[in-house]
Each structure stands twice: as structure tokens, then as C-alpha cells.
Amino acid sequence: MRVPMIAGNWKMNTTVDDAVALVKAMLPGLDRVGGVDKLICPPFVSLAAAGDLLKGTSVKLGAQNVFYEAKGAYTGEVSPLMLAGMCEYVIVGHSERRQYFNETPEIVDKKVKAALAAGLKPVLCIGERLEENEAGITGEVLTRQLTASADQMYFKSGLVIAYEPVWAIGTGKSATPEQANATIGFIRKLVAHHLGADAAEGVRILYGGSVTADNIAGLMQQPEIDGALVGGASLKADDFVSITKQASEAGGAA
Ligand code: PEP
């Protein structure tokens, strides 16, 4: 039985003070929701403050990115060792990292490996761009992105996959529940092909792309969708709590 997950990616939003206020606003509501893993991913500079507030609660903390080297002359980067002990999860390979920071599948794979070696659980994001979707090559793109990171070890270590079609991120144009379900089913088959049925059955695959309190229920009714990675709506405390509650009602394991 896969426990659903609702993860909030705050992206480059919130000062430390804003982040503290946002955690305080959503924490009581989130903490009460059972049967779903709840994860928030604030900016690096707010991880410590958010972590202090989350101590002793059921809400988990993640970072939005990580570098693959442990230490050294890499000005401005944050290593897995710095994050370990500070947070449990880390988003890796978000499409904005691939698009604006030229992260290739090979770089993403190195990050996944380094994160796992440090004891972090990666949320590996994959997804096709609009032109790739329109050209009918979604399957090839996802295969390339996933195959670089297809390693049995990853799946034993709590890796989560997020399918995020780039055309749906921040656009208000979510994939339909049926589209998301079909593509996530395809990804699960890819995992089965590389790593066998057990890995495929066990891995959580989230959908991400314009998820809101209005569309989460329909998405969660789909059998392949194990939760959501939420961007914009995770910055609104009431909306994020509502998304999490609805996920619990529709697919919670409790
Ligand atoms: C994201 O950034 O991962 C995301 C899915 O954003 P949004 O929900 O705003 O589309």
C-alpha cells in the first residue's frame, strides 16, 4: 500500500519571516490530516526556521535542490551533507532547474545518487515540454529522464517520482486526471521494465502542474496517482491544507 504524499514547492518565494508566518498558518491544519505524507519545501535560507517549527509534528521538510559534491570550491552551492540532518527530502531535477540551469538527466542522476548517499530522500521530477508533448514524444522524453536515474538502490531508499508536464506548471492548465493517470501508469511500467514489479508497485509517483484545491479530488481518484507536488497553491495556507485534506479523504491510507 503506497501512502499518498502532498508536497509543497515554495520555489523562490518567501523571506525567512514570510516562511515562518506561512508555516505557522498551515501547520495546525496540516498536522491534523492523517493518512498522507505532508511535505513542505521552503527556500534553503528558511529551512532551519521551518525545521524548528515542524519539530514534533507530522509535517516533513524538504529542500528544493542540492549539489552532487560533498564539499569544496563550488561557490554558492549547497551539498547533501549540509542538508542531511536538516531535512528529510530534497526535490531533484525540477523542470525549472533543467530549463534555467541546464541540468541534464546525467547531472540529475548524480544529484539523486549524492542525495541518497547522504541519507536524503529525493523527489525526482520528470516531465515533457509542450513542444515535446505536441510532437508525440512524451514517452521518449520520460524514458530518457527516468532511465538515467533507474537504479534499484534508489527505489529501496524512499525515492519519490513527480511527473510534472512542463506545460502544466504555473500555467493554470492542469493535465486532466485521465491524462495524468495514463502517463503515470506509463512511468510505473518503465520502472517495472528496469527494476521489476516490486519496485514499480512500491514507488510513489506524484502528479504536479497547476494542482489546486479545486482539482485535487479528481486527480486523487485515479489509481496510479499517489499524490501531488504543488507549486503556487502551496503558498496559500488554506488552499494547501484543503488539498492535503482532500487527498487524505480520496486516497489516504489511514
Ligand atoms: C511545481 O513547481 O512543481 C508546480 C507544480 O507548480 P504549480 O503547482 O504552480 O504549477
Side-chain angles (χ1 to χ4, degrees):
M1 183 79 184
R2 299 186 294 269
V3 177
M5 170 179 270
I6 298 294
N9 172 15
W10 293 9
K11 309 195 187 190
M12 198 176 70
N13 295 295
T14 68
T15 62
V16 176
D17 285 350
D18 295 338
V20 165
L22 188 52
V23 173
K24 284 184 176 166
M26 58 176 61
L27 189 51
L30 287 183
D31 201 22
R32 278 197 290 272
V33 179
V36 174
D37 277 351
K38 299 147 291 186
L39 171 66
I40 58 168
C41 303
F44 283 133
V45 294
S46 297
L47 284 175
D52 283 344
L53 293 169
L54 298 185
K55 266 189 201 119
T57 76
S58 60
V59 181
K60 297 167 190 294
L61 187 64
Q64 299 174 17
N65 182 32
V66 66
F67 192 50
Y68 48 76
E69 294 292 350
K71 62 177 185 167
Y74 302 102
T75 303
E77 290 295 334
V78 173
S79 92
L81 293 183
M82 296 171 188
L83 294 178
M86 199 169 204
C87 60
E88 186 176 345
Y89 285 86
V90 60
I91 297 172
V92 179
H94 191 280
S95 64
E96 288 152 13
R97 302 286 327 164
R98 296 180 193 260
Q99 183 178 349
Y100 304 130
F101 302 96
N102 302 320
E103 288 192 10
T104 61
E106 291 69 31
I107 291 173
V108 172
D109 180 51
K110 284 166 99 171
K111 291 186 168 199
V112 170
K113 270 198 190 110
L116 284 170
L120 296 162
K121 296 175 184 160
V123 178
L124 169 64
C125 299
I126 59 174
E128 82 285 5
R129 298 197 304 267
L130 180 62
E131 59 272 26
E132 293 166 334
N133 183 283
E134 286 174 349
I137 58 166
T138 296
E140 285 160 50
V141 172
L142 296 177
T143 302
R144 192 168 64 241
Q145 291 175 342
L146 190 72
T147 302
S149 297
D151 183 316
Q152 185 71 45
M153 178 194 65
Y154 297 178
F155 293 86
K156 288 195 178 134
S157 311
L159 176 121
V160 175
I161 297 173
Y163 166 57
E164 299 207 302
V166 180
W167 47 268
I169 295 179
T171 59
K173 259 180 58 183
S174 172
T176 65
E178 293 74 19
Q179 278 174 328
N181 189 63
T183 309
I184 289 177
F186 172 82
I187 294 167
R188 206 177 292 287
K189 283 205 184 88
L190 271 181
V191 175
H193 173 74
H194 286 291
L195 305 168
D198 285 354
E201 265 309 297
V203 67
R204 289 187 287 190
I205 311 181
L206 316 182
Y207 165 76
S210 297
V211 171
T212 66
D214 293 331
N215 62 21
I216 185 68
L219 289 161
M220 290 304 298
Q221 274 157 18
Q222 299 292 327
E224 297 288 357
I225 302 178
D226 299 322
L229 180 53
V230 185
S234 72
L235 292 167
K236 297 176 201 136
D238 290 350
D239 288 14
F240 193 60
V241 171
S242 169
I243 289 169
T244 308
K245 265 191 200 152
Q246 293 184 61
S248 168
E249 283 153 17

